[in-house]
Amino acid sequence: MEQDSSFTVFDGIIWGGAALSVVGLIGLVWCILKVWRARAAGLEDAEMRAVVARVLPLNLGALFVSVLGLMLVIVGIFLG
């Protein structure tokens, strides 16, 4: 039985989505570490709120990128 080992567009969508998910996951871990370090520094309430306010948009963006990557993986699997 012959196997087709060519790389298709759908394989590219799957691997691209996986890479996008990893980038989003790295962003989420960065956000967690940033807030964790601020918490460990013992900042005042106002300073801690400022750190969280700066990290929140990046956290949401990283979550969006990760979800978008997972959606691409699912679409690539369904269509491939």
Side-chain angles (χ1 to χ4, degrees):
M1 185 170 211
E2 189 174 320
Q3 289 185 349
D4 186 19
S5 63
S6 63
F7 189 78
T8 65
V9 174
F10 302 115
D11 292 335
I13 291 173
I14 292 169
W15 284 106
L20 208 56
S21 291
V22 169
V23 168
L25 183 62
I26 290 170
L28 288 170
V29 170
W30 180 85
C31 291
I32 290 168
L33 291 176
K34 185 80 171 171
V35 172
W36 193 6
R37 287 183 192 140
R39 185 175 176 200
L43 299 177
E44 295 293 324
D45 187 47
E47 294 169 333
M48 187 67 182
R49 286 181 188 268
V51 169
V52 171
R54 282 194 309 266
V55 171
L56 182 66
L58 298 173
N59 188 9
L60 290 174
L63 184 62
F64 176 72
V65 167
S66 181
V67 168
L68 190 65
L70 289 173
M71 286 174 25
L72 283 174
V73 169
I74 296 298
V75 167
I77 290 171
F78 280 153
L79 296 178

